[in-house]
Amino acid sequence: MRGLLTLLVTIVFGVICAGAAAVSEAKELDKHCVLRPLGPGKDDTDQVEAAIAKCGHFGTTVFAPGQYNITRKMIWDLVSSRVDLHGYLNFKPDPEYWLDPNNTYRVVFIQNQASWFVLTGHDFVVDAHSSGGINGNGQTWWSYYGNRTRQDGDGRPISLTLSNVTRGVVRDFRIEAQPFWCNTVADSRDVVYDGMYCNATNQDPLYAGQNVVPNTDGINTYRSDKVTLLRWDITCGDDCLAIKGNSTNILAKDITCRGGNGIAIGSLGQYANLPDIVDNLVMEDLKLIRLDSRVQPNLVSGVYLKTWTGSVHGSPPTGGGGGGGYVSNVVARRVSFDPVTVPIHLYQTNGGHSGDNASTLQFSNLTFSDWTGSSLRNTIVDIECSAAVPCPNIRFHNINVTPPNGTVPGYKCVNVASEVGLPACNATGTL
């Protein structure tokens, strides 16, 4: 009898404890924080950080419309939570402050890039409702660097960095005037960007007709798996998308690129001791638009793929080379574009010199299908693979690209082990 009574007491006590835990968890999930801007000239950083600290785990944080003035670097650690960002995080326009290494994070290993705003954590949604996001005040930066030298890793901050994220969603987010890369996702998996707008448009008449907004890439992916990019609209002076090393299972769909260098896979092979892998990349419904040359003169490629050579020259972030790895199972389909310099381009001589060793990073299983547009040169396809690792299984289908008037389309294939779909493209050869 005493044993039965003890068992009943234990069960009842367990039920009470479980119920209390459930109530406690429900209260945690019910956490709700609402912010409003403090007003012009006032610093919102403290109230933003306090709200995220309180509701960033198992809660909801709502930003009312307006400008939130941010004056220092910031990390949001989000767990099973939601952020509704109806306003803009306005990062103060002070290049000298942000270029101090103490004032940014270095969570992105590739080229030692700086970040002023980092999202990390798991199972979260950040929704800007197409009415909020980040104001990067890029014009101050572009004019500041008008007569200064830019270098990789020099401290210009990435506008929005996702680092060590699992199952994160960024939705309908706007980034106005990114000073440098608009987005980076690094060391993450199961990430969805559903609706992203980046706009690097120079307004300084002193630099009209020049590309004064270099390195304003839409995104760089790095060391990340299962990343989805949907509904992107990118105005930039560099890579619309840049798929960098160890990016696997990537989908990019419904991407509009306005100006810049095109969509890049690379550069790869910069780090001699760190192999770069890009595997299972699908890009579809891509549109590249040429802007008024007074605003942005560049529209270089449709899709281009690049590696460093097999020799090492200096060290990252500005030098390097000699890295191996591979790129395989890449599809680029339903691509339309205004006149570009080279629609499809692959080269393995980035940062190289005459007499360098050939790259050991191999490209294989690349498919380009349903391309329409025009080229400023008669070379429509320029595939120049490494002599050390020729490219097998390069496939083309329905490539309808118009060369300049009075010319016939040309196709260049160097060190291509096997190719299907192009007329008069030499399947093998050497430079």
Side-chain angles (χ1 to χ4, degrees):
M1 179 63 72
R2 179 176 296 175
L4 180 59
L5 181 60
T6 301
L7 178 60
L8 288 172
V9 169
T10 302
I11 292 172
V12 170
F13 181 75
V15 170
I16 291 172
C17 290
V23 170
S24 176
E25 183 176 358
K27 287 182 178 178
E28 287 284 300
L29 291 170
D30 285 342
K31 289 187 299 186
H32 197 79
C33 297
V34 178
L35 295 87
R36 291 176 176 80
L38 297 178
K42 297 186 178 179
D43 188 350
D44 291 281
T45 314
D46 284 347
Q47 71 152 336
V48 170
E49 290 185 331
I52 295 299
K54 180 179 179 181
C55 295
H57 286 204
F58 308 101
T60 299
T61 306
V62 179
F63 289 75
Q67 296 272 344
Y68 295 82
N69 296 315
I70 306 300
T71 61
R72 61 179 181 267
K73 62 185 179 182
M74 187 166 56
I75 288 182
W76 290 3
D77 179 19
L78 303 175
V79 174
S80 299
S81 62
R82 178 181 179 89
V83 176
D84 288 296
L85 181 60
H86 296 282
Y88 282 88
L89 304 175
N90 182 45
F91 285 81
K92 70 175 181 177
D94 186 349
E96 296 288 352
Y97 171 82
W98 293 112
L99 288 171
D100 182 338
N102 294 317
N103 295 331
T104 54
Y105 304 103
R106 298 298 173 115
V107 297
V108 179
F109 173 81
I110 185 76
Q111 298 171 341
N112 193 34
Q113 303 295 9
S115 302
W116 60 17
F117 180 36
V118 177
L119 299 183
T120 191
H122 62 85
D123 300 289
F124 64 78
V125 175
V126 176
D127 193 339
H129 301 275
S130 297
S131 61
I134 292 170
N135 184 353
N137 291 296
Q139 189 64 62
T140 300
W141 289 82
W142 309 327
S143 297
Y144 175 86
Y145 273 102
N147 58 2
R148 290 176 170 87
T149 300
R150 301 170 174 88
Q151 289 186 318
D152 283 326
D154 60 11
R156 287 170 293 156
I158 301 164
S159 291
L160 176 61
T161 299
L162 271 62
S163 174
N164 287 292
V165 168
T166 303
R167 296 180 300 278
V169 176
V170 176
R171 180 173 294 130
D172 291 326
F173 202 96
R174 297 176 66 88
I175 300 178
E176 300 283 358
Q178 66 269 24
F180 184 63
W181 296 355
C182 197
N183 292 273
T184 296
V185 56
D187 304 295
S188 298
R189 63 179 291 118
D190 294 307
V191 171
V192 176
Y193 295 86
D194 185 5
M196 174 61 66
Y197 173 86
C198 299
N199 182 13
T201 300
N202 172 54
Q203 303 289 342
D204 188 340
L206 181 63
Y207 302 106
Q210 303 177 44
N211 181 21
V212 74
V213 296
N215 309 125
T216 50
D217 304 20
I219 189 171
N220 282 249
T221 68
Y222 183 63
R223 287 179 174 172
S224 293
D225 181 50
K226 296 181 182 177
V227 177
T228 300
L229 315 175
L230 305 174
R231 299 185 300 117
W232 283 52
D233 191 324
I234 307 300
T235 300
C236 71
D238 213 299
D239 296 334
C240 180
L241 311 177
I243 310 302
K244 283 188 161 55
N246 302 299
S247 298
T248 53
N249 300 303
I250 311 294
L251 170 64
K253 181 178 176 62
D254 191 10
I255 310 295
T256 299
C257 307
R258 304 177 192 273
N261 291 344
I263 294 173
I265 300 171
S267 60
L268 305 170
Q270 184 176 8
Y271 292 80
N273 59 336
L274 298 174
D276 280 335
I277 294 170
V278 174
D279 197 3
N280 195 20
L281 165 65
V282 175
M283 304 181 292
E284 57 189 16
D285 302 317
L286 314 176
K287 181 184 294 186
L288 294 98
I289 297 172
R290 180 172 289 277
L291 300 175
D292 186 321
S293 62
R294 292 169 295 180
V295 176
Q296 174 53 252
N298 290 358
L299 188 63
V300 180
S301 296
V303 172
Y304 72 113
L305 309 91
K306 58 180 178 176
T307 75
W308 292 64
T309 67
S311 297
V312 177
H313 297 287
S315 60
T318 56
Y326 67 86
V327 175
S328 190
N329 303 310
V330 174
V331 176
R333 60 186 171 222
R334 298 193 296 275
V335 183
S336 65
F337 46 91
D338 291 339
V340 298
T341 306
V342 184
I344 300 172
H345 193 193
L346 187 158
Y347 59 98
Q348 301 200 244
T349 55
N350 189 63
H353 298 75
S354 176
D356 275 2
N357 296 326
S359 171
T360 59
L361 195 154
Q362 185 176 48
F363 292 88
S364 65
N365 305 316
L366 311 180
T367 301
F368 306 90
S369 64
D370 299 316
W371 283 54
T372 59
S374 58
S375 175
L376 297 176
R377 299 177 183 172
N378 73 312
T379 301
I380 306 303
V381 174
D382 185 356
I383 304 292
E384 302 182 33
C385 302
S386 169
V389 279
C391 302
N393 194 25
I394 313 299
R395 306 179 70 86
F396 300 88
H397 174 70
N398 198 22
I399 307 298
N400 295 312
V401 180
T402 304
N405 287 337
T407 66
V408 296
Y411 310 94
K412 185 176 184 180
C413 294
V414 176
N415 297 316
V416 175
S418 56
E419 173 272 319
V420 175
L422 287 183
C425 190
N426 296 327
T428 59
T430 58
L431 287 172

